[in-house]
Amino acid sequence: MASSNAIGARVSDWDFEDVIRTPSTIGKVERKAEPKPGTIACDWFQATMPSTLHEVVLKQLTSAFGSAEVRSDIPSSMHCYRECLQFPDGARLYHSNCYHATCCLVISGMAKPTEHFSLLQNLFDLGVKPTRWDLAFDDRRGTLSLDSVCDAADAGSAVTRWKAFGSQKKISLSSGIQRGRSIQFGSKTSASYLVAYDKGLETGTAEEGEWIRWELRLSESEAEIFSTEFFS
């Protein structure tokens, strides 16, 4: 694997101190935290390939995930494919395209693509073309708050190639309690899209600011550039 492996990158430089400080711990006794460098994980991998690669790719997928079963529940986004094979961990191989001699591979987070980088490398070497990567990082140390990002964007001091920025809050009308918070750079239809949200509030497992999930989606040209760098 390339030494510049961005997905497996250690982000220990995000950990500025050995003490956890988040909005919900202010005024409380702070405890020393065990050093646990974060890891950027792959939460979604999608790729296309010519139909001529169907059999050899199927063999590799069967070796990695086990035998597949035929599924008829093809989502609307994949309706150009007439057939679908699903593997035990949830990975799917769509084939028999109505318009082009291509197949489509989808390895969702349920199938844990982060644990199958050697497989992805082999597929890339065979000629499979990645069309989407979803990368995720969990900030459990309150290193960068959503409020600070919003303040920077509002002040015009955010340096970014994205041209659009948005933020949202989800509040219960009955209780007035905030149930969620998110920010977005770019749009879901662009080749790159960054979203960060309060995973702790969303799941109800942590107080505000204690668990921020950052997700970067790369598609089409950006996915191709990333793949070339990652697998080189």
Side-chain angles (χ1 to χ4, degrees):
M1 193 63 66
S3 59
S4 60
N5 182 340
I7 293 182
R10 291 164 64 89
V11 287
S12 54
D13 55 320
W14 284 43
D15 301 330
F16 300 114
E17 301 177 290
D18 61 351
V19 175
I20 293 179
R21 286 186 173 87
T22 64
S24 61
T25 60
I26 294 176
K28 299 180 182 179
V29 176
E30 296 175 333
R31 62 180 179 81
K32 293 287 182 178
E34 294 295 327
K36 294 181 179 179
T39 298
I40 299 175
C42 178
D43 200 42
W44 186 285
F45 175 82
Q46 188 167 322
T48 59
M49 69 205 78
S51 297
T52 53
L53 291 178
H54 176 268
E55 291 302 322
V56 65
V57 169
L58 178 59
K59 184 177 180 180
Q60 295 243 3
L61 295 174
T62 300
S63 177
F65 299 113
S67 299
E69 63 175 355
V70 177
R71 297 295 296 262
S72 60
D73 56 333
I74 299 176
S76 58
S77 59
M78 294 290 179
H79 273 176
C80 59
Y81 296 96
R82 294 190 295 269
E83 298 181 64
C84 171
L85 293 173
Q86 179 169 305
F87 298 85
D89 285 344
R92 285 191 164 199
L93 180 62
Y94 298 91
H95 59 105
S96 300
N97 192 309
C98 299
Y99 309 105
H100 308 285
T102 61
C103 303
C104 180
L105 170 64
V106 175
I107 304 179
S108 64
M110 183 171 60
K112 300 178 180 178
T114 303
E115 299 179 1
H116 297 283
F117 287 147
S118 59
L119 168 65
L120 302 187
Q121 175 79 66
N122 292 338
L123 296 179
F124 182 79
D125 293 341
L126 285 171
V128 171
K129 179 183 177 182
T131 57
R132 175 178 163 185
W133 291 90
D134 285 8
L135 311 176
F137 171 75
D138 287 322
D139 178 10
R140 303 298 294 265
R141 300 176 65 84
T143 304
L144 182 62
S145 71
L146 299 184
D147 283 336
S148 64
V149 176
C150 288
D151 290 344
D154 290 341
S157 57
V159 180
T160 173
R161 291 187 300 167
W162 284 294
K163 296 181 179 180
F165 170 80
S167 63
Q168 295 179 325
K169 288 184 179 181
K170 184 177 180 181
I171 300 175
S172 171
L173 294 178
S174 59
S175 64
I177 297 176
Q178 184 171 316
R179 298 296 186 185
R181 176 77 185 282
S182 66
I183 60 174
Q184 309 85 33
F185 285 91
S187 68
K188 292 182 178 180
T189 58
S190 60
S192 63
Y193 173 66
L194 176 66
V195 60
Y197 57 96
D198 197 311
K199 188 75 171 179
L201 284 181
E202 181 186 83
T203 60
T205 57
E207 296 184 53
E208 182 179 359
E210 291 186 337
W211 181 5
I212 303 299
R213 164 69 63 87
W214 293 82
E215 295 181 356
L216 175 65
R217 177 182 295 181
L218 304 173
S219 60
E220 304 305 332
S221 60
E222 292 292 336
E224 184 176 352
I225 292 171
F226 176 82
S227 301
T228 300
E229 292 292 328
F230 177 59
F231 291 124
S232 62

